[in-house]
């Protein structure tokens, strides 16, 4: 068996600024025959996510780019995985992968065929971005009482849009910031109490004071930089900050200097500021996804996908994340 040729996007240069097409090469190689306990998967859907831009978090030079993938088992010598099974796994930017069953069981999940949602949602609202939204809000920002104010930036993305909606489900007042009028309209359609195009407002501080007259109780930060500093100054006592991303800084040529907020402010307001990587809750993901799937079926939680077509479009999908072109989750249909 096997005899399949796999195509992979290989990172050949460290990223400097916005990733360039010649930072990658597409390499083709023939995969060997399967050994006992192995199975072969073929990509159906691939994901691109902002964290992949980080030279620290993406794979080393000469290796395929990392990332989640929905794939179909096409050959198997593993009793736990049958031909035709659809799985979610960390296969990266590659068309075909051989998996060692015993070594992979903790990382590869069979999709639940009873959930009546598209397979691509396993890379978005019912995947890593959905888990990021769920746990980053509920375990770190921890809504305490109904009516608290939640502020979310990059709010029209896969994570931000879900964070805002979960906040509404939990009775919070939600304010979102995004990068176009179209995205602002999308946020309002999701039930955000206020939404702004940060590119066109005269003052971020003034917009926050206008939309959050009683201050900010919880802040879900996907952007970092000056936006982070500005919101911290508007936080209420005992405010909670979930530091999820720093998309404003990923392509910076020079590292940004420290937080431009006095430590006294953090002390006096007794703020809780916590960064996180969502895999810390990996053993709880499935429970979260069941609850989120129920919210989707009840119409309480909506999602949108920006779909690129074909394996060769991986790069275009990736850089779209940093140009503000997408609404919701960016996925690639292979």
């Amino acid at each position: 068996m096997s005899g399949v040729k796999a195509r992979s996007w290989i990172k050949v240069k460290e990223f400097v600024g916005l990733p360039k097409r010649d930072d990658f090469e597409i390499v083709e190689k023939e995969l060997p025959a399967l050994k006992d306990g192995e199975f072969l998967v073929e990509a159906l859907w691939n994901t691109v996510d902002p964290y992949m831009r980080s030279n620290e978090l993406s794979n080393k030079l000469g290796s395929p780019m990392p990332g989640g993938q929905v794939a179909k088992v096409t050959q198997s010598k593993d009793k736990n995985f049958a031909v035709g099974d659809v799985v979610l796994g960390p296969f990266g930017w590659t068309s075909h992968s051989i998996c060692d069953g015993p070594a992979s069981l903790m990382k590869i999940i069979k999709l639940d065929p009873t959930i009546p949602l598209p397979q691509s949602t396993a890379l978005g609202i019912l995947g890593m971005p959905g888990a990021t939204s769920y746990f980053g809000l509920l375990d770190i920002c921890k809504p305490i009482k109904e009516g608290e104010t939640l502020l979310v930036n990059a709010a029209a993305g896969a994570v931000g849009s879900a964070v805002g909606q979960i906040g509404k489900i939990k009775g919070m007042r939600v304010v979102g910031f995004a990068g176009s009028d179209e995205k602002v309209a999308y946020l309002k359609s999701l039930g955000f109490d206020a939404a702004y195009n940060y590119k066109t407002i005269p003052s971020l501080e003034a917009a926050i004071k206008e939309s959050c007259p009683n201050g900010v109780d919880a802040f879900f930060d996907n952007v970092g930089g000056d936006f982070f500093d500005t919101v911290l100054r508007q936080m209420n006592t005992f405010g909670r900050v979930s530091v999820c991303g720093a998309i404003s800084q990923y392509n910076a040529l020079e590292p940004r200097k420290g937080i431009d907020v006095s430590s006294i402010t953090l002390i006096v307001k007794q703020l809780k500021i916590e960064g996180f990587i969502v895999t810390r809750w990996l053993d709880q993901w499935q429970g979260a996804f069941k609850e989120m799937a129920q919210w989707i079926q009840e119409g309480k939680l909506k999602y949108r996908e920006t779909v690129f077509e074909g394996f060769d479009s991986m790069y275009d999908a990736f850089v779209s994340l940093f140009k503000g072109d997408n609404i919701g989750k960016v996925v690639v249909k292979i």
Side-chain angles (χ1 to χ4, degrees):
M1 290 195 292
S2 191
V4 170
K5 289 185 177 180
R7 302 177 73 214
S8 299
W9 282 82
I10 306 297
K11 180 182 176 182
V12 295
K13 296 180 184 177
E14 297 287 8
F15 302 138
V16 178
L18 184 70
K20 305 171 184 62
R21 177 61 183 84
D22 62 7
D23 292 336
F24 306 90
E25 289 181 2
I26 298 178
V27 174
E28 185 176 286
K29 69 174 182 180
E30 185 167 335
L31 298 179
L34 296 182
K35 300 175 184 176
D36 289 341
E38 292 182 336
F39 58 98
L40 176 72
V41 297
E42 179 180 359
L44 300 175
W45 294 88
N46 272 27
T47 183
V48 290
D49 298 289
Y51 80 86
M52 297 173 183
R53 164 59 185 81
S54 168
N55 286 315
E56 290 77 20
L57 295 177
S58 62
N59 285 357
K60 63 183 181 180
L61 295 183
S63 298
M65 284 289 288
Q69 181 185 105
V70 173
K72 179 173 65 176
V73 177
T74 58
Q75 298 179 21
S76 181
K77 286 191 172 183
D78 183 329
K79 65 181 187 314
N80 296 300
F81 294 90
V83 171
D85 283 347
V86 177
V87 299
L88 171 67
F91 308 128
W93 294 18
T94 186
S95 64
H96 298 79
S97 303
I98 290 178
C99 309
D100 180 349
S104 303
L105 282 175
M106 293 302 294
K107 298 180 180 178
I108 297 177
I109 301 169
K110 290 184 185 180
L111 297 196
D112 185 349
T114 66
I115 294 179
L117 292 171
Q119 295 170 345
S120 56
T121 59
L123 298 172
I125 193 69
L126 299 183
M128 183 271 287
T132 299
S133 308
Y134 185 96
F135 293 105
L137 177 64
L138 300 183
D139 276 37
I140 295 180
C141 285
K142 290 188 175 180
I144 296 173
K145 60 183 179 181
E146 191 165 335
E148 285 192 313
T149 297
L150 166 67
L151 190 148
V152 188
N153 53 22
V159 172
S161 58
V163 168
Q165 292 179 86
I166 295 171
K168 291 299 296 181
I169 290 169
K170 297 300 180 180
M172 305 184 83
R173 185 174 182 278
V174 179
V175 177
F177 288 82
S180 73
D181 292 343
E182 180 188 7
K183 291 178 179 181
V184 167
Y186 175 59
L187 297 181
K188 290 180 178 178
S189 76
L190 296 178
F192 280 59
D193 296 282
Y196 294 86
N197 179 350
Y198 75 88
K199 294 180 180 178
T200 59
I201 54 176
S203 164
L204 176 60
E205 182 176 356
I208 295 172
K209 287 181 177 179
E210 175 186 71
S211 58
C212 309
N214 298 318
V216 178
D217 299 296
F219 172 33
F220 197 103
D221 182 37
N222 295 301
V223 172
D226 294 340
F227 202 120
F228 180 80
D229 296 342
T230 303
V231 178
L232 284 192
R233 297 190 184 94
Q234 311 301 319
M235 297 293 296
N236 289 331
T237 302
F238 300 117
R240 293 88 63 198
V241 181
S242 182
V243 184
C244 176
I247 199 166
S248 70
Q249 299 169 59
Y250 290 148
N251 294 312
L253 298 177
E254 296 291 335
R256 184 176 184 269
K257 294 181 180 179
I259 298 173
D260 187 25
V261 175
S262 168
S263 296
I264 295 174
T265 299
L266 308 184
I267 295 167
V268 170
K269 292 191 174 185
Q270 303 182 67
L271 301 182
K272 172 190 172 185
I273 302 174
E274 184 174 347
F276 70 97
I277 296 175
V278 72
T279 48
R280 83 160 83 156
W281 296 280
L282 187 60
D283 61 339
Q284 301 176 53
W285 283 21
Q286 292 307 306
F289 295 157
K290 287 183 180 179
E291 184 171 23
M292 294 174 76
Q294 184 65 36
W295 290 337
I296 292 171
Q297 291 167 18
E298 292 172 354
K300 297 177 180 177
L301 181 61
K302 300 179 175 67
Y303 67 93
R304 189 185 292 189
E305 295 175 338
T306 299
V307 179
F308 285 73
E309 296 279 347
F311 185 77
D312 289 348
S313 70
M314 291 294 303
Y315 170 76
D316 292 334
F318 181 45
V319 295
S320 77
L321 297 171
F322 309 105
K323 296 179 178 179
D325 297 339
N326 61 296
I327 292 180
K329 182 71 186 81
V330 178
V331 292
V332 179
K333 185 176 183 181
I334 305 301

